[in-house]
Amino acid sequence: MTERPDRRRGLWIGYTLLGACGLTAIAGGLITATRPPSPWIALASTVAALALMGALVVGYALRGLRSAQYYLDRNGLTITWWPAVHVIPIHAIRELRPGPASRKAIRRWRGMRWPGLYAGHAWAVEENRPVLFFATEDLPRQLWVITEAAIYAISPLHPQRFLEAFTERAAMGPTQRLPQTTLFPGWRQRALWGDRWAWSLMLIGGIAMWGMWLWFCGQFPRLPPWVQITESAETLFSPAAHLTRLPLLGALTWIVNAALGSLLHERERPAAYGLWLVGLLVQILLFGALLQIPR
């Protein structure tokens, strides 16, 4: 028996959010690219960056929602929600019942949630175990698949029919004993996803890069048209607008090093850490250069 949740409302709202984030990112990017640096450009570029990240997160959630499917047979329940496939053997399911009526039944929610999408995890207060949500309906309209280790919250299109089908198949007994497991594609099994040091280095480098850009946007309106870049016998001057290349160089370095480091991380972890450290060092050096030039 294969059931899909009602995805229409969740997809409609998700695509609306995706479009809004995308248009905001494009508008902010165009404003940033066509006007000289200023505090307003700092704000526009920050909004564009946040909107771009929001679009990526919403797109990821939509990809999971589009793949949502529940397959039930005599051996167990298989929940497909990209990028994972959760296999729950029939003998591991202690109870299949409707979800609680009150949101107070869960706490410490983490994940994505909007009308028509309930994807994430929380802690079930009464059952005292984690809840993994793969649903499109709110708590009272969900079905909770309760096992010893965790609870799986689903929302089949016909919950009563799904309950009856489960009771029938559980009574018949399994034809084979499946392991309770979660399957991920190869890219999702990479060690990078759980490497906090790697993400910390990339995040610190990104913060340094963005801090340099925001500072430069705040200082640029105060600069003269030409700035002195050396104090030697042969004094050199440069148009102030050319200083914009320094933050752009920092951004390009951070993007390239982050990408190359991510590719190398699985096989050459020290080299990946080296790339991320170099990227951070470049941000510091460029920021130092910007601090010196306007003086």
Side-chain angles (χ1 to χ4, degrees):
M1 176 184 182
T2 301
E3 279 264 9
R4 284 185 176 273
D6 185 356
R7 302 170 296 169
R8 292 172 296 179
R9 181 174 56 165
L11 289 175
W12 183 84
I13 293 177
Y15 283 125
T16 301
L17 290 173
L18 184 63
C21 289
L23 290 175
T24 301
I26 292 171
L30 289 175
I31 293 173
T32 302
T34 56
R35 298 185 181 182
S38 68
W40 287 109
I41 294 302
L43 177 61
S45 58
T46 300
V47 170
L50 293 175
L52 179 59
M53 289 187 286
L56 293 175
V57 172
V58 172
Y60 186 93
L62 284 172
R63 178 66 177 86
L65 179 58
R66 286 184 60 86
S67 69
Q69 178 178 285
Y70 318 120
Y71 175 73
L72 177 67
D73 62 12
R74 292 174 57 181
N75 298 313
L77 171 65
T78 301
I79 302 172
T80 300
W81 196 290
W82 186 88
V85 175
H86 303 268
V87 180
I88 310 166
I90 202 80
H91 63 81
I93 301 176
R94 294 195 166 188
E95 185 182 3
L96 179 62
R97 60 173 173 79
S102 173
R103 290 191 176 184
K104 294 182 180 180
I106 62 171
R107 56 188 176 92
R108 301 205 303 262
W109 165 262
R110 297 290 185 275
M112 293 291 293
R113 180 170 59 188
W114 63 68
L117 175 68
Y118 224 101
H121 59 89
W123 188 262
V125 177
E126 183 178 345
E127 292 79 4
N128 196 33
R129 69 195 72 180
V131 189
L132 308 178
F133 291 91
F134 309 96
T136 60
E137 303 290 348
D138 208 346
L139 287 176
R141 302 183 64 182
Q142 295 174 4
L143 291 181
W144 277 24
V145 183
I146 300 177
T147 70
E148 180 66 29
I151 300 172
Y152 299 83
I154 62 176
S155 58
L157 189 60
H158 304 98
Q160 186 58 41
R161 188 173 71 181
F162 199 86
L163 280 168
E164 295 170 356
F166 169 76
T167 302
E168 177 184 345
R169 285 159 175 76
M172 294 171 64
T175 59
Q176 58 177 318
R177 195 175 181 88
L178 300 175
Q180 185 168 349
T181 184
T182 299
L183 306 174
F184 288 101
W187 64 268
R188 189 59 180 81
Q189 298 180 39
R190 296 187 60 192
L192 176 64
W193 299 107
D195 191 337
R196 294 185 178 180
W197 283 106
W199 291 104
S200 296
L201 285 173
M202 286 188 280
L203 179 62
I204 293 172
I207 291 174
M209 173 198 68
W210 205 254
M212 172 173 57
W213 169 246
L214 295 181
W215 179 89
F216 180 70
C217 287
Q219 294 296 317
F220 187 83
R222 303 187 183 96
L223 296 178
W226 290 77
V227 294
Q228 181 180 339
I229 60 175
T230 66
E231 296 181 357
S232 61
E234 297 181 0
T235 302
L236 296 178
F237 291 85
S238 173
H242 287 183
L243 297 181
T244 309
R245 297 171 182 174
L246 295 181
L248 291 178
L249 177 60
L252 180 62
T253 302
W254 181 80
I255 293 171
V256 171
N257 284 24
L260 290 178
S262 300
L263 292 174
L264 288 173
H265 181 270
E266 197 70 17
R267 295 184 178 180
E268 298 290 342
R269 194 166 300 185
Y273 288 148
L275 281 170
W276 295 323
L277 285 171
V278 168
L280 175 58
L281 180 60
V282 168
Q283 310 307 319
I284 295 173
L285 292 175
L286 291 174
F287 202 174
L290 281 176
L291 289 173
Q292 295 298 320
I293 288 174
R295 294 183 177 182

